[in-house]
Amino acid sequence: MEIRFDGKRALVTGAGKGIGRGIAIALAKCGASVTAVTRSQADLDSLKAEIPSVETICLDIHDWNKTEKLLSPLSAFDLLVNSAGVSSAESCLEISPEAYDDVMMINHRASLQIIKIVAKKMIEKGQGGSIVNLSSIASLQGLKNHAVYASTKGALDSYTKVAALEFAQHKIRVNCVNPTVVLTPMAKKFWEQSETRDSMLARIPLGRFLEVEDVVNPVLFLLSDKSAMINGITLPIDGGALAALV
C-alpha cells in the first residue's frame, strides 16, 4: 500500500530529533512539502542538510506569543503532526508547580494553540486536512513516577476527541498515536542502563521496545486518505501491552 502526499503541505513540530524528525523525513520522501519546527537551530541545519527541500522554523513553542507571530502568517497546511514534547519523572508526592507548568505547556497547551492556528487556515482553504498528535501509552496505562507526564498526555487524548468532533464538518480529521518506549538515540542511552528496563519489557508481549519507524508508519497512515474514516481515536503502538492487561 503506497502512501503519497504530493501537492500537500505538512507542518511537523519537534522535527529536530527522534520521532518528529523521522516523520518529517518520511513525509518529504512521500512527496509532501514539509515545514519543520523545533527549538534547536543546529538540529534544523542537520535536517536541512539531509532533506534540502524542508522548510525550517526555529521556535520554542513554550512561548505563546512567538508561536502566534511565526506560525499565523504561514499559508494553509493540509497536514499537521504535533510531535514536540518533553518528559518528566516525578511521583504523585513529588509534583512541583514548575514541572507541571513546563510539561503541560509543551505537551498540551502548545498543541492546542498550534492546532487552533493551523485548523483555522484549513477551514478557510476548504479542502479538509488531517492532524495527528503524539501522545503516549502513559495516558492509557498506569506508569509509576510519571504523574505530570501521564496527565498531560491524558489531556491531549481528551482534546483530540473534542477537536475531532468540532472539525469533522470541515473534513478535518484529528487522531492520536500512543506509543510505548521508543528507542530514539536519547532513549537508548537511558533504557540500556535503566533498572526498570526488564520490567517495562515484560509488559510488552511482542518482547521489544519500538523503533522510530514503528511510530512513523502509523502516523503516515493516519495522515493519509487511506484512513479517511478514522477520526478521534487514540491508537496504541505498544506491542500488545494493553491487550495483556487483566
Side-chain angles (χ1 to χ4, degrees):
M1 179 175 64
E2 184 180 19
I3 293 176
R4 297 292 304 175
F5 297 104
D6 300 284
K8 302 288 187 181
R9 297 189 72 236
L11 178 67
V12 182
T13 71
K17 292 185 173 72
I19 298 169
R21 186 184 184 99
I23 292 168
I25 292 170
L27 280 168
K29 289 181 177 178
C30 290
S33 174
V34 177
T35 298
V37 176
T38 196
R39 61 185 176 183
S40 166
Q41 186 61 52
D43 287 339
L44 290 174
D45 292 344
S46 171
L47 179 63
K48 185 78 172 177
E50 185 172 354
I51 306 290
S53 64
V54 171
E55 288 188 44
T56 61
I57 298 176
C58 189
L59 169 64
D60 182 353
I61 59 173
H62 188 281
D63 187 327
W64 181 281
N65 292 331
K66 191 172 181 180
T67 298
E68 197 77 28
K69 180 179 178 180
L70 291 182
L71 299 188
S72 289
L74 301 179
S75 301
F77 291 96
D78 306 287
L79 312 168
L80 167 63
V81 181
N82 279 307
S83 182
V86 293
S87 186
S88 63
E90 59 277 309
S91 73
C92 294
L93 299 180
E94 297 171 330
I95 296 172
S96 68
E98 294 80 14
Y100 179 87
D101 288 347
D102 183 56
V103 180
M104 182 62 80
M105 284 182 180
I106 296 295
N107 291 1
H108 186 243
R109 193 189 77 169
S111 294
L112 271 62
Q113 181 190 15
I114 292 168
I115 288 174
K116 181 184 74 168
I117 293 170
V118 172
K120 283 182 177 180
K121 292 286 183 70
M122 283 182 174
I123 292 169
E124 290 173 7
K125 186 177 179 181
Q127 296 182 11
S130 183
I131 297 169
V132 177
N133 296 319
L134 267 291
S135 185
S136 169
I137 200 68
S139 72
L140 306 173
Q141 177 185 60
L143 189 60
K144 290 182 179 179
N145 300 319
H146 285 74
V148 173
Y149 176 77
S151 298
T152 66
K153 295 302 187 179
L156 185 60
D157 287 0
S158 294
Y159 171 80
T160 294
K161 296 179 188 300
V162 174
L165 292 176
E166 291 189 6
F167 298 156
Q169 63 180 312
H170 303 290
K171 309 302 180 188
I172 299 169
R173 298 181 297 109
V174 190
N175 293 292
C176 266
V177 293
N178 300 63
T180 186
V181 174
V182 183
L183 293 178
T184 62
M186 185 177 297
K188 285 180 181 178
K189 294 178 181 179
F190 174 78
W191 285 102
E192 286 173 355
Q193 302 176 3
S194 173
E195 296 178 358
T196 61
R197 177 181 183 276
D198 291 342
S199 62
M200 192 67 179
L201 268 178
R203 303 170 78 171
I204 304 174
L206 286 181
R208 69 172 178 85
F209 294 136
L210 304 180
E211 299 293 339
V212 169
E213 67 179 11
D214 293 318
V215 183
V216 171
N217 291 330
V219 169
L220 294 182
F221 172 70
L222 289 174
L223 290 172
S224 77
D225 292 338
K226 306 293 185 184
S227 61
M229 286 300 289
I230 298 178
N231 191 32
I233 69 163
T234 52
L235 177 64
I237 310 173
D238 64 355
L242 290 180
L245 293 178
V246 294

